[in-house]
Amino acid sequence: MLREVQEETGYSTDREPILLGQFYVNPATQTNKVFTYLLLDAYHTSGQQLDPTEFIDVHIYNWNEMGSLIVNGEIQQLFTAHAYYMALSYLKEKPIR
């Protein structure tokens, strides 16, 4: 998972990824699952190394503004919003040390 993140975003971390949860995208029609991880202290290590059919834009947002960006519709991607709220819940239970 860390290798894939590094290839697709150019970011890495030295800390152990935290599995926040997993869910089916649409269990009525698909069998694939999404696994959501939280990476703490991520840092830029290189440029992206995308496959020819991949097109990924990386955007950096202020964590304290994410909730309002989702509510205001500036961030509309379901997986991004879901991951944010899963991470928010995790961090309320287990604050970063």
Side-chain angles (χ1 to χ4, degrees):
M1 186 277 302
L2 286 174
R3 181 184 53 80
E4 189 72 15
V5 169
Q6 195 281 323
E7 287 177 1
E8 294 189 353
T9 68
Y11 282 80
S12 189
T13 182
D14 296 325
R15 296 179 69 172
E16 185 71 25
I18 300 163
L19 177 61
L20 296 176
Q22 55 185 296
F23 60 94
Y24 289 100
V25 177
N26 185 349
T29 60
Q30 299 172 349
T31 59
N32 59 313
K33 280 187 181 179
V34 171
F35 292 79
T36 303
Y37 288 88
L38 175 62
L39 302 182
L40 299 174
D41 300 327
Y43 56 93
H44 192 254
T45 58
S46 67
Q48 294 171 294
Q49 300 167 5
L50 301 176
D51 294 336
T53 58
E54 292 181 310
F55 302 95
I56 300 172
D57 293 324
V58 177
H59 299 271
I60 307 298
Y61 293 99
N62 181 309
W63 175 259
N64 296 321
E65 297 173 1
M66 285 290 292
S68 63
L69 293 172
I70 293 167
V71 170
N72 293 333
E74 294 179 57
I75 294 176
Q76 298 182 1
Q77 213 289 332
L78 174 65
F79 297 139
T80 301
H82 191 259
Y84 168 74
Y85 287 111
M86 290 176 80
L88 188 63
S89 176
Y90 175 86
L91 293 171
K92 282 182 181 178
E93 293 177 19
K94 300 178 183 179
I96 300 172
R97 297 171 212 245

